[in-house]
Amino acid sequence: MPAAKRKETTAHVHSPAIEDYLEQIHNLIEGKGYARVVDIAKNLGISQASVTNMIQRLDAEGYVVYERYRGVIMTESGKKIGQEIARRHEVLTRLLSGFGLDPKTVHEDVEGMEHHISRQTLDVLTLLMEELEGNPELLKKLKKRLKSSS
Amino acid sequence: MPAAKRKETTAHVHSPAIEDYLEQIHNLIEGKGYARVVDIAKNLGISQASVTNMIQRLDAEGYVVYERYRGVIMTESGKKIGQEIARRHEVLTRLLSGFGLDPKTVHEDVEGMEHHISRQTLDVLTLLMEELEGNPELLKKLKKRLKSSS
DNA sequence: TAGCAAAGTTAGCCCAGCCTAAAATGTACT
DNA sequence: AGTACATTTTAGGCTGGGCTAACTTTGCTA
Ligand SMILES: [Mn+2]
Ligand SMILES: [Mn+2]
Ligand SMILES: [Mn+2]
Ligand SMILES: [Mn+2]
């Protein structure tokens, strides 16, 4: 493979589905200490059978360690991805929520967008979020403009 | 179906794939007057066979009118979606490009994000884009902060 | 006007990621 | 210990959206 054709940074890219599973497992472990199939399924709105199936793939690919009927823990590489997605989720949510959008709409948009944000774009969005959170004057001005145009 | 469960605005939602096709067909017709299978395939980076196949689906679902070997035109409903996606693409691109990000990275992110943006979120992003384009001081300040953190 | 290259189409295939139904395992209570 | 219920897993199936190989059609040009 010619060097020119290689992805710089060995850009392991995962499907949105895989990212959603790892994000959920990460959040559950963070929040209650463990991640059960039934809760993952509930949070993602899919069947338990689908969750079991994916967990086996995640184990095979080294993102979690899985023991039949016993539960799942995350490997370092799995944790890294889960955290990364949770971070994007948070930045997007805070940015959009600042403008007073309907929380449900925010969540739907965030849940999709979070899988398509490079490091550079994340930096930009973080910057905008910070500026708006630290500069209420600006936010207020923009929100007014937003309302007048709706 | 109870009214409370219905999506307001009859939110017909399409797959990212369908949106990409309609966006491309729209752009090609806008730019050169017609959209050929070979060009759609090239722009989307997929095979001509896949394009033919999808065009037949788009015809069946009323987004385009398709005549074998002769070409494709868009229906009103197809045009509406194509335009909508092109609009999201443009807003995202202008917003991110303003910060001087690598154009290729911008394009990759935009190509994914454009499918997950509600009307309300588009309004917010449009607002941010306009503010930054009309307020170079602010943009400059933010870009400086961006560079110092990288 | 006949041939040829480019464009378009069809046929047959594959994989990710979901589903339901049924079976297996775990747990809590009597 | 036995039994009921919850949880997890397996088996089998389906759809969307891609692929290659082989074909047909179109349109240009010798
Ligand atoms: Mn998501
Ligand atoms: Mn998320
Ligand atoms: Mn796209
Ligand atoms: Mn696009």
Side-chain angles (χ1 to χ4, degrees):
Chain A
M1 187 181 199
K5 271 286 188 182
R6 243 186 298 118
K7 286 262 180 66
E8 65 277 35
T9 73
T10 317
H12 262 229
V13 76
H14 332 86
S15 68
I18 285 182
E19 293 186 346
D20 279 336
Y21 280 97
L22 291 174
E23 180 192 12
Q24 274 314 310
I25 294 170
H26 171 267
N27 287 347
L28 283 167
I29 290 179
E30 203 80 348
K32 29 195 320 193
Y34 53 86
R36 300 200 327 224
V37 169
V38 67
D39 294 321
I40 299 169
K42 213 159 286 171
N43 291 357
L44 293 178
I46 62 187
S47 74
Q48 295 179 206
S50 297
V51 172
T52 294
N53 193 56
M54 177 62 91
I55 283 179
Q56 288 167 0
R57 264 183 64 197
L58 295 177
D59 176 284
E61 294 175 24
Y63 297 124
V64 304
V65 177
Y66 158 72
E67 208 169 341
R68 273 227 243 59
Y69 292 103
R70 300 299 284 176
V72 59
I73 65 175
M74 305 189 85
T75 64
E76 282 313 307
S77 99
K79 262 182 236 176
K80 201 165 145 198
I81 297 168
Q83 265 168 6
E84 166 78 13
I85 304 301
R87 175 72 190 150
R88 298 185 202 167
H89 184 115
E90 192 212 346
V91 169
L92 284 166
T93 301
R94 276 166 61 185
L95 178 59
L96 294 180
S97 298
F99 289 88
L101 300 194
D102 166 35
K104 184 172 166 147
T105 301
V106 170
H107 190 262
E108 284 172 5
D109 289 7
V110 167
E111 212 44 58
M113 287 191 282
E114 67 187 358
H115 310 289
H116 306 279
I117 294 184
S118 63
R119 179 59 209 272
Q120 291 98 308
T121 292
L122 181 62
D123 287 346
V124 164
L125 297 179
T126 303
L127 194 61
L128 287 172
M129 177 193 80
E130 284 169 351
E131 174 66 18
L132 290 168
E133 288 182 351
N135 185 347
E137 309 299 322
L138 177 59
L139 180 58
K140 195 173 293 186
K141 185 177 79 173
L142 293 176
K143 280 174 76 172
K144 185 161 297 179
R145 228 185 285 167
L146 188 63
K147 210 162 14 171
S148 77
S149 80
S150 69
Chain B
M1 188 181 200
K5 271 287 188 179
R6 243 187 298 118
K7 284 265 181 65
E8 65 278 34
T9 73
T10 317
H12 265 226
V13 76
H14 333 86
S15 68
I18 284 182
E19 292 185 348
D20 279 335
Y21 280 97
L22 292 174
E23 180 191 14
Q24 274 314 311
I25 295 169
H26 172 268
N27 287 347
L28 283 167
I29 289 178
E30 203 80 349
K32 30 194 322 192
Y34 53 89
R36 298 158 60 93
V37 168
V38 68
D39 294 321
I40 300 168
K42 212 159 287 174
N43 290 357
L44 293 179
I46 62 187
S47 74
Q48 294 181 206
S50 297
V51 172
T52 294
N53 193 56
M54 178 61 90
I55 284 178
Q56 289 168 0
R57 265 183 65 197
L58 295 177
D59 176 284
E61 294 176 22
Y63 297 125
V64 305
V65 177
Y66 159 73
E67 208 169 340
R68 272 228 241 60
Y69 294 104
R70 298 301 283 178
V72 60
I73 64 174
M74 305 188 85
T75 63
E76 282 313 306
S77 99
K79 260 183 237 175
K80 201 165 144 198
I81 297 169
Q83 266 168 4
E84 167 77 14
I85 304 300
R87 176 72 189 148
R88 297 185 202 167
H89 184 115
E90 193 214 344
V91 169
L92 284 167
T93 300
R94 277 167 59 186
L95 178 59
L96 293 180
S97 297
F99 289 87
L101 301 194
D102 166 34
K104 183 171 168 150
T105 301
V106 169
H107 190 262
E108 284 173 5
D109 289 7
V110 167
E111 211 45 57
M113 286 190 282
E114 66 187 359
H115 309 289
H116 306 279
I117 294 183
S118 63
R119 180 60 210 269
Q120 290 99 306
T121 292
L122 181 62
D123 288 345
V124 165
L125 297 179
T126 304
L127 194 60
L128 287 171
M129 175 194 81
E130 284 168 351
E131 175 66 18
L132 291 168
E133 288 181 351
N135 186 346
E137 310 298 322
L138 177 58
L139 180 57
K140 194 173 293 186
K141 185 178 78 173
L142 293 175
K143 280 173 75 171
K144 184 162 296 181
R145 228 184 285 166
L146 188 63
K147 208 162 14 170
S148 77
S149 80
S150 68

